[in-house]
C-alpha cells in the first residue's frame, strides 16, 4: 500500500504565485458569504429536524396508543411514561437528523461541485491546498471537525480567519482546505 501523503510536507509554504492565486479566487466578502452559506445549510438542517421530530412523535403516539381520542392519556400510562416516550422520540429524531446531515455532506461536499447547497447559492466551493479532490470522507471530516472546534472553542472560533493565512478557519487548517469563490458553481437560480 502506498502512502498518499509521502510527498506532502505541511511546513513548506506555498509558492507566491499559488498564494496570490488563492487570494484572488477567494473574492470579496468571503467571510460574510461563508456565514450566510452556513445559515442556509443550518436552516435546511433545522427544517429537517423539525419534520423528523413531528413525524417520530406522531408515530410514537400511534404505535403506543398514548394519546386517546380527546387527547387524554390512554391505556393507563403514567405521566412519567409519557414523558419518557416523548424523550425517546426526540432522541430518535436527533439521531436520524445527524445521519441524514452526514449523508448530505458526504454527497454534496464529496460531489463534483464540492459545495453544499448553501455554498452553491453564494458561489463558494472547497478546495484542497494540494490540489486533490475533496472526497465524501473529507467532507464528513470537515463537518465533524467544525462541530468539534465550535463546541470546544465556542463562537470565538469564528475569529480564526482573521489571523490564519488564506482566511481559513481552524477545521480548514487542520484539513488543509480553503474556501474559494466560484461563479460556475452557483445554483442556476442564483446566476446573474
Amino acid at each position: 500500500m502506498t502512502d498518499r501523503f509521502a510527498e506532502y510536507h505541511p511546513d513548506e509554504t506555498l509558492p507566491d504565485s499559488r498564494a496570490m492565486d488563492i487570494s484572488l479566487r477567494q473574492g470579496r466578502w468571503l467571510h460574510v458569504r461563508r456565514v450566510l452559506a452556513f445559515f442556509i445549510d443550518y436552516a435546511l438542517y433545522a427544517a429537517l429536524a423539525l419534520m423528523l421530530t413531528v413525524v417520530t412523535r406522531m408515530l410514537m403516539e400511534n404505535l403506543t396508543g398514548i394519546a386517546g381520542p380527546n387527547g387524554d392519556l390512554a391505556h393507563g400510562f403514567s405521566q412519567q411514561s409519557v414523558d419518557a416516550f416523548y424523550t425517546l422520540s426526540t432522541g430518535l429524531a436527533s439521531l436520524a437528523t445527524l445521519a441524514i446531515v452526514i449523508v448530505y455532506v458526504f454527497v454534496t461536499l464529496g460531489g463534483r461541485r464540492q459545495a453544499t447547497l448553501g455554498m452553491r447559492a453564494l458561489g463558494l466551493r472547497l478546495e484542497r491546498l494540494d490540489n486533490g479532490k475533496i472526497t465524501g470522507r473529507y467532507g464528513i471530516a470537515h463537518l465533524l471537525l467544525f462541530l468539534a472546534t465550535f463546541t470546544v472553542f465556542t463562537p470565538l472560533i469564528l475569529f480564526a480567519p482573521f489571523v490564519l493565512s488564506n482566511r481559513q478557519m481552524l477545521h480548514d487548517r487542520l484539513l488543509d482546505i480553503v474556501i474559494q469563490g466560484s461563479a460556475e458553481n452557483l445554483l442556476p437560480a442564483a446566476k446573474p
Side-chain angles (χ1 to χ4, degrees):
M1 185 164 137
T2 61
D3 184 10
R4 295 183 357 203
F5 300 106
E7 294 88 30
Y8 178 69
H9 304 288
D11 54 337
E12 291 179 3
T13 59
L14 293 173
D16 288 336
S17 62
R18 173 86 171 128
M20 179 62 92
D21 185 43
I22 288 172
S23 178
L24 288 175
R25 284 188 292 152
Q26 283 181 332
R28 300 167 133 190
W29 298 94
L30 179 74
H31 301 307
V32 173
R33 292 186 323 176
R34 187 170 190 176
V35 169
L36 290 175
F38 169 73
F39 283 138
I40 290 170
D41 287 328
Y42 196 78
L44 291 172
Y45 306 154
L48 174 69
L50 180 66
M51 288 187 306
L52 286 173
T53 301
V54 169
V55 166
T56 56
R57 285 187 175 204
M58 288 172 53
L59 283 172
M60 182 269 311
E61 288 175 354
N62 288 336
L63 292 175
T64 60
I66 288 177
N70 299 328
D72 304 344
L73 296 180
H75 299 293
F77 287 111
S78 67
Q79 186 62 39
Q80 188 176 9
S81 297
V82 172
D83 291 342
F85 282 132
Y86 281 121
T87 303
L88 177 65
S89 67
T90 304
L92 289 174
S94 299
L95 289 176
T97 302
L98 180 62
I100 292 172
V101 166
I102 286 175
V103 169
Y104 166 76
V105 167
F106 183 86
V107 169
T108 56
L109 287 182
R112 73 181 169 90
R113 297 196 187 264
Q114 298 182 345
T116 62
L117 292 178
M119 292 167 69
R120 285 187 59 201
L122 294 167
L124 299 172
R125 68 186 294 262
L126 289 181
E127 184 177 305
R128 286 177 46 181
L129 287 175
D130 62 358
N131 288 329
K133 184 179 181 320
I134 303 281
T135 62
R137 288 181 14 198
Y138 237 77
I140 291 172
H142 190 259
L143 170 72
L144 295 178
L145 278 174
F146 170 74
L147 293 175
T149 57
F150 197 78
T151 302
V152 171
F153 297 112
T154 66
L156 293 175
I157 196 69
L158 298 176
F159 291 110
F162 295 110
V163 295
L164 294 176
S165 63
N166 296 328
R167 301 180 188 168
Q168 294 172 302
M169 290 188 64
L170 185 59
H171 62 286
D172 296 333
R173 177 69 89 140
L174 292 172
L175 291 172
D176 285 330
I177 292 176
V178 291
I179 268 208
Q180 303 292 333
S182 174
E184 68 271 359
N185 209 27
L186 282 169
L187 289 172
K191 289 187 179 176

